[in-house]
Structures are given as C-alpha cells and as structure tokens.
Amino acid sequence: MSVTVTAPDGVPEIRAGDDLAAALLTALGPGDLADGDVLVVTSKVVSKAEGRVVDGDREAWIDAETARLVALRGPTRIVRNRLGLTMAAAGVDASNVAQGSVVLLPLDPDASARRLRAAVAERRGVNVGVVVTDTAGRAWREGQTDIAIGAAGLAVLESFAGRVDAHGNELAVTAPAVADEIASAVELAQGKLGARPCAVLRGRADLVLPPGDDGPGAGALIRADGADLFGYGAREAVIQAVAARPAARTPFGSPVDAGDFVAALARAGIAARAAAPADVRTGRERRAAADIVAFAHGWESAETGDADTDLRFRPVTP
Amino acid sequence: MSVTVTAPDGVPEIRAGDDLAAALLTALGPGDLADGDVLVVTSKVVSKAEGRVVDGDREAWIDAETARLVALRGPTRIVRNRLGLTMAAAGVDASNVAQGSVVLLPLDPDASARRLRAAVAERRGVNVGVVVTDTAGRAWREGQTDIAIGAAGLAVLESFAGRVDAHGNELAVTAPAVADEIASAVELAQGKLGARPCAVLRGRADLVLPPGDDGPGAGALIRADGADLFGYGAREAVIQAVAARPAARTPFGSPVDAGDFVAALARAGIAARAAAPADVRTGRERRAAADIVAFAHGWESAETGDADTDLRFRPVTP
C-alpha cells in the first residue's frame, strides 16, 4: 500500500483578500488533484488570505488569543487558546510574514477548510478532504510536529474500537489521529521556509467523506478542558490547587520579602491578593499554604520569628 | 517535492529469534529500497524477533517497565518508562500477539535500529535510515499517532535554528521532529491490523546520514525528566508538591474515613504513611495539607469536631 505527498512549488505570496483556492489550484496541475485526495494547507496562508496578519505587540496579541494559561517557564508561555488548542504563544507566529507583523490563527479553521473544499469541488469537480495545519510542540518530546487545526470532508480519527486483530485481541489503540498524521506527513514535503504552503496526500481515499459530508472537523481532535490530565504544567497545577482554597489567598496578607517571587506569581497570572481577615486562621496555616505556592515556584519560606506577621521567602537550595 | 510511503504486504508473522532483516527484505523487492530511503518498522515486530513477547500479568509487566508514575485516572496509567518514554501502560501492549501474552518494547530500540541498518547495508548494499515506531497518545489531543522510539542513520530533529525566512525573520520553530513525522506518515500506509509492519519512506534523502554515522537515535527526541513542564498530571503534581513537605506525611496520622481515597493514593504510589509526631504541628496545618492532597484526587475534607484526631473526606461536590 502506498501513500504519496506532493507539495507543488510556485504558490505565490498570499495577501489579505486573495482568492486562496485559486492560488492553490493554479499551482496544482490538472492531474494533481483527484477524487479521494486530501488537500493540505498551512494555517499561515489561510490566515494571510483571511486578513489575520496584524501589527502591534506580539505579547498583547498572545493575550488576546489566550483562553487560559497552561504553563510558564522563562520566555515560554504555553496556553490554551480561544480555539481550545494548547500551544506555545497561543499559536501567534512572527515567521514567514513581514517584520513587525504577526500572524494570528484563522478565526475558525474548520470553516476555512470547508470553504476550501467547496471551492475545489466547484472549480475542479473533485471530492477531496481538506486539512489546515499548524506547528505545535509536545508535552514530553523535543521538537515540533505539524498537526491538523482545521479539517473538512475527512475522518479525522480512524476508529478501531471493537476491532480485533488476527489473534482475536481487541485493539487497544482505538483511534489513530489520522488528520494529525496527515499534517505530519505533509510537513516532510513542505518544509518550514514558507515556499510550499500546500500539498496533496494521495492513497487514503477511504478517509475522505462523501460530498456534502464535511465530518466533525479538526475540533474533534481537541481533548475537552477538564477531561485533560495535563491541563496545567506541574507547577501551575499546584498553584491552581492552592488558589482554589481560601487559605491560598492569604500568603500576601503580611509583609513579603520576595520581590522576584511575587513578580513570578504575577507573570503566572496569580495576583498577590491581600487577604481578608476572615481567610486567615493561624499564621502557621497561612505559612503552610504559602510554602506550597512558593515550592511550586522554586522558593521556600524562610523561618522567621513571627509566622503571623512576617513571611519571607528564599530560593529552594537543591 | 514528493514524499512516498510504501508498505509491502507479505511480511510473515515474526517469532523470537527470527532474522527480522531477512523477513523484511524478502517482502521488499529489489527496487523497493534505495540509497537515501528510510526503512520504518513497528516496535511490535522488533520486539517479537527479539523475544520480548512474555506471558503473565499485564499489570505486573507494566510495573516492571515503569520508571515512575506520571498520571493516573480510572484504568489509565500514564508512566515514564525505563526508556524515558511517557506512555499509557508503559508501552506494554496486548494486541497483535497471541491471547494471554503481552509485548514489551525492545530493550534498546536505537540499538535495534542500528542492527537493522547494518543488515540492510550488508545484504542490499544500500545506505538507508531506519526508524522503529510505536503508538502513543498525546497530552492535549484525542487519538494516537505513531512516534519514533528508535532510529539509526537519520537526522531525527531538523534544525532551523538561526535560519531566516524570505522576510528576514528568524524562524521561531527551530526543530521539526522529522523522525516522529516519518513515523506518523508511515502509519497511514501501515494501518493497525498488523499485516504491514514495515514501510519505506522515499524523498527525504537529505535526512539520511552517511554510512558509519548512526546519528543521535530517537533517544534525542525524549525531553529530559525535569526539563519537562508536564512531568506529572495536574493532580499528581499537587501530590508531589505536598509529598515533598514534611507536613504532607501527616494526613493519615489520624483515623481516615475514606477507603476509596486511600486506595486512590495507594494506586498512585503515594503510601498512606503514619506521621511521626514531630511532623505534626497542629491539626489545622495537617488538615490544610490533607485538603490539598484530597483536592488533587477530587475529594475534600469534611468538617469534623476535632481536626487533630478525626480527618474525614468526601467527594468534591461540583
């Protein structure tokens, strides 16, 4: 069995308002797109065509695209963005675009994929699946792979639930994320220098849905918030757990000699709130909560004479 | 630019001691393997050839293959295994093998890949890269993709560090994990039913290293323990933070009316240790620590008359 990925050269630089389908179809010759193919395009050019290139402060745009913080370390800010995607910098990118500009992800990448599929059907008369890709890091592995952030007319998860192998075992792996595998396969032919923003994958017509059925889209690949065991970085999880308790609001009810620590909390979006008196039971309880928050940030509390009035912190010594 | 994946039919069932290279080369015709190709093979058949099919209790084998627990929910146990891979069930699998047996991952998949590369060079006279794959879930996305757990003669990470795009921007994505993308691409042609355990990827000869240079192997794709923001599930991170504090050893110093909660802790590898008196400062402090551990497991402490002697828990009411 064979699968082929072909990424044409010659797609022009795309600008806001351009007819993206026309630009891609010009680069793809008549034989390059057939029934059952999957047309894959980077979110970058979709965003450019849809006018999602913006000027201004990158950090402010990351804020705007962020639903909530997931993890923070050094300059790396991993967030769950408004699409539900967990990505560094919310998917806001400053490569392959004019200097000083940044590219935001498409407003609705599944809708972008549906529009592209419809345009291909109308202009070429072929039934294809469409995938819109972006590049993402992984929790436990170095480097990045391309994933599907939009899809139309494609079975994004291949279901083996209930299927048995030749030995009669029910298959433990029940759902290969084929849309993500397609995105990764295509990246191998596209490269990262922006010159080949689209590709055609041929050989898995079984995954392409009939005309009129756009399928669930790539949104179906996003694990629901709350169903996720890794919804927070390890440190941020500790902060969340503490922040959920009233006592957690108390560490900064008394003088704190830890400017760096407070700044770290502020960067993490955890405000150093003054405690209401009712939240404070005993100095020791407050210190216990403060210790755990501090531990999550690589600090520990220093013993002082009066736990009620004097909380001090120092970096954890290994 | 084109990349092609071809997965031959006709690889026989592999048994312990079989000459895997011979079996694969028989299925691959003379033109199917050329200089610059990447030969990709599932860890399943590598393990079978290397005698890593074992009988006995699957859970006990998962224990044996586990370096440490990462996250636990319901029947799903995600661990960092002895290879450093973060995977459900430590990569121990019971599919595509005789019922009652389980397949362990190869002892050293990078070494397996190197042996296969050497055998191909010797018997076919061609210089290929080799990837050994397995199937893994992801932190934030539904479904599974194939990843590279072994590699030889391949640049596993393509480095763009310092490269600039056509606009003069330094590329933010500095290292596509091409070995993982190759594994994913190949899965599309192999399928999950075990009949096509190998495939050849053609078109990225630039990633294949010269004869004699096996490269860093797929081990280079594993993020170092400790460099990882997601080394624990959110709940387990809280447990770890609390367990690092002396006070955390105290929650079970007094009677606990929460069998399910204690059992959950035990399954997570957190023993319900009796506290040494010196660890206990006040009942309220103990309760504060216990509350946070409990919160991490979806429990909360119920208010009782005497915090010093009577800690009770109930499931958190949403």
Side-chain angles (χ1 to χ4, degrees), chain A residues 40-166:
Chain A
V40 184
V41 59
T42 66
S43 58
K44 183 70 57 74
V45 294
V46 173
S47 289
K48 287 179 176 180
E50 295 178 358
R52 298 279 290 162
V53 179
V54 294
D55 295 327
D57 181 55
R58 181 165 175 268
E59 295 301 314
W61 280 113
I62 295 172
D63 288 344
E65 293 282 290
T66 292
R68 67 169 179 80
L69 181 76
V70 169
L72 182 79
R73 187 175 296 185
T76 302
R77 175 156 49 140
I78 299 168
V79 308
R80 193 171 165 102
N81 71 12
R82 62 177 172 76
L83 296 168
L85 297 163
T86 299
M87 302 183 120
V92 174
D93 193 8
S95 66
N96 291 311
V97 68
Q99 291 193 337
S101 297
V102 298
V103 185
L104 311 180
L105 292 178
L107 277 177
D108 181 347
D110 282 332
S112 306
R114 290 193 296 271
R115 284 192 293 269
L116 205 46
R117 186 186 192 212
V120 168
E122 187 187 317
R123 302 177 198 184
R124 281 276 174 99
V126 292
N127 178 44
V128 300
V130 171
V131 172
V132 176
T133 65
D134 200 34
T135 302
R138 295 88 55 82
W140 309 298
R141 296 179 70 70
E142 298 289 347
Q144 303 83 30
T145 60
D146 276 18
I147 61 171
I149 69 164
L154 188 79
V156 296
L157 286 165
E158 192 177 14
S159 180
F160 286 93
R163 297 277 289 275
V164 294
D165 63 23

Side-chain angles (χ1 to χ4, degrees), chain B:
Chain B
M1 178 172 174
S2 266
V3 170
T4 305
V5 177
T6 307
D9 292 306
V11 177
E13 179 72 21
I14 303 292
R15 292 191 177 71
D18 282 358
D19 181 340
L20 179 62
L24 301 182
L25 289 173
T26 301
L28 291 164
D32 292 342
L33 212 49
D35 282 335
D37 286 350
V38 182
L39 173 63
V40 184
V41 58
T42 66
S43 58
K44 183 69 57 72
V45 294
V46 173
S47 289
K48 286 180 176 179
E50 295 179 357
R52 297 280 289 161
V53 179
V54 294
D55 294 327
D57 180 54
R58 180 165 176 269
E59 295 300 315
W61 280 113
I62 295 173
D63 288 344
E65 295 281 289
T66 293
R68 67 170 179 79
L69 181 75
V70 170
L72 183 79
R73 189 174 295 185
T76 302
R77 175 156 48 140
I78 298 168
V79 308
R80 192 171 165 104
N81 72 11
R82 61 177 173 75
L83 296 167
L85 298 164
T86 299
M87 302 183 121
V92 174
D93 193 9
S95 66
N96 292 311
V97 69
Q99 291 192 336
S101 297
V102 298
V103 185
L104 311 180
L105 293 179
L107 277 177
D108 181 348
D110 281 333
S112 306
R114 289 194 294 270
R115 285 193 293 271
L116 205 47
R117 187 186 191 211
V120 168
E122 187 187 317
R123 301 179 197 184
R124 282 276 173 99
V126 291
N127 178 44
V128 300
V130 171
V131 172
V132 176
T133 65
D134 199 35
T135 303
R138 293 89 55 82
W140 307 300
R141 296 180 67 73
E142 298 288 347
Q144 302 83 29
T145 60
D146 276 17
I147 62 171
I149 70 163
L154 189 78
V156 296
L157 286 166
E158 192 177 14
S159 179
F160 286 93
R163 296 278 289 277
V164 294
D165 64 22
H167 302 272
N169 302 292
E170 196 164 321
L171 287 175
V173 171
T174 54
V178 284
D180 285 336
E181 293 186 325
I182 288 171
S184 286
V186 162
E187 200 281 322
L188 291 168
Q190 287 181 316
K192 281 279 174 285
L193 298 173
R196 288 187 293 270
C198 86
V200 175
L201 182 133
R202 182 166 292 175
R204 288 303 304 267
D206 59 306
L207 300 176
V208 176
L209 301 175
D213 180 1
D214 280 326
L221 292 170
I222 296 172
R223 190 160 286 159
D225 208 0
D228 194 330
L229 301 181
F230 302 93
Y232 293 97
R235 292 183 168 189
E236 289 73 16
V238 176
I239 293 169
Q240 292 297 321
V242 173
R245 292 170 40 77
R249 298 203 301 273
T250 68
F252 307 105
S254 21
V256 173
D257 178 21
D260 288 351
F261 173 52
V262 174
L265 281 192
R267 283 195 303 275
I270 309 293
R273 284 170 286 195
D279 289 331
V280 183
R281 293 183 181 181
T282 70
R284 287 210 178 277
E285 184 180 8
R286 187 171 67 227
R287 168 165 288 170
D291 270 0
I292 294 172
V293 177
F295 179 85
H297 279 280
W299 291 77
E300 62 191 2
S301 71
E303 284 294 332
T304 54
D306 185 348
D308 273 321
T309 59
D310 190 13
L311 282 172
R312 293 175 185 279
F313 295 92
R314 65 183 169 214
V316 171
T317 46

Side-chain angles (χ1 to χ4, degrees), chain A residues 188-211:
Chain A
L188 291 168
Q190 286 182 316
K192 280 280 174 285
L193 298 174
R196 287 187 294 270
C198 86
V200 175
L201 183 134
R202 181 167 293 176
R204 288 303 304 265
D206 58 307
L207 299 175
V208 176
L209 302 175

